[in-house]
Each structure stands twice: as C-alpha cells, then as structure tokens.
Amino acid sequence: MIKIVKDMDERILGTIGLVTPNSQAIMVDNILVGIIDYKVTTDYIKIMYITVLDEYRRQGIAKRVMEQIINENRGKYLYGDSLPGALEFWRNLGAEFDEKESDEYLTPFHIEC
C-alpha cells in the first residue's frame, strides 16, 4: 500500500536526499521509498519535486502517487518543471509541455486534473 506521510522526521527524509519544509515521505508497506514536495490550493497543485529511491524505481510508485494526487484534486490545474530524464514520466500522466522540451533544462508542464 502506497501512502504519503506528512510528518516524517527531517533527519529520516534526509537519508533519501533533498529535504524542504514541505517534504513528505512516500511509503510502501511502511518502508520509506521516496519524497514528494507539493502544494495544493483551491485552484491548483504545484509539484516542486518527486523522487523515488533507485532500488524502488520502475515499479510504478511515483505514477501511483501522482495518480492519487490527481484523482483527489479533480478540476484543478497541476503544474511543475520536469527534469530532462522525467519528460516521458510526465507525458504518460497526460502532461502537456509549456515550451519546447529540453534535454538540458527544466521543462515546464501542466496537467488538467
């Protein structure tokens, strides 16, 4: 079972990588497998980042987390910036890119939930 945990100790999250004030743990069967930082308002969802540990990648975890966030926020506008290696991930979630996709820079995207 995948869940997002909001009140995880920052020291534990720091073992995975970048920790910001809004970082939340991605847990699978009570195992910390990733981190997400996002903000939800009445109109939009801003994705700052999502990352999954290497050994848990390519298992659909990030996709299921994003699908959960999208399903819980129908009618909202979701947006963020994609790293070059994640363009296909966002495209598979239905993202449209706001400018020409880049292999060198962040590419802004959006999804209508």
Side-chain angles (χ1 to χ4, degrees), residues 8-59:
M8 180 69 68
D9 186 313
E10 285 185 15
R11 292 173 295 184
I12 295 171
L13 289 177
T15 64
I16 290 184
L18 177 67
V19 178
T20 62
N22 295 318
S23 292
Q24 299 174 49
I26 300 171
M27 307 288 289
V28 175
D29 298 327
N30 294 319
I31 298 169
L32 178 62
V33 299
I35 302 175
I36 186 168
D37 183 343
Y38 70 107
K39 177 182 181 179
V40 178
T41 72
T42 56
D43 300 319
Y44 66 85
I45 307 153
K46 167 68 173 155
I47 303 295
M48 274 55 89
Y49 70 88
I50 182 169
T51 187
V52 174
L53 288 169
D54 288 341
E55 59 264 34
Y56 295 100
R57 289 187 180 167
R58 316 264 339 137
Q59 297 178 32

Side-chain angles (χ1 to χ4, degrees), residues 47-107:
I47 303 295
M48 274 55 89
Y49 70 88
I50 182 169
T51 187
V52 174
L53 288 169
D54 288 341
E55 59 264 34
Y56 295 100
R57 289 187 180 167
R58 316 264 339 137
Q59 297 178 32
I61 294 168
K63 179 181 180 187
R64 288 185 298 208
V65 167
M66 291 308 307
E67 288 173 341
Q68 177 182 334
I69 291 169
I70 290 168
N71 288 332
E72 290 173 354
N73 291 281
R74 289 287 175 201
K76 294 183 182 179
Y77 180 84
L78 181 146
Y79 71 100
D81 295 304
S82 177
L83 292 167
L87 292 168
E88 193 64 27
F89 170 79
W90 294 111
R91 187 178 292 108
N92 288 336
L93 285 169
E96 294 181 24
F97 297 94
D98 301 335
E99 58 188 50
K100 186 175 182 239
E101 297 170 24
S102 171
D103 290 333
E104 299 177 20
Y105 305 105
L106 295 174
T107 303

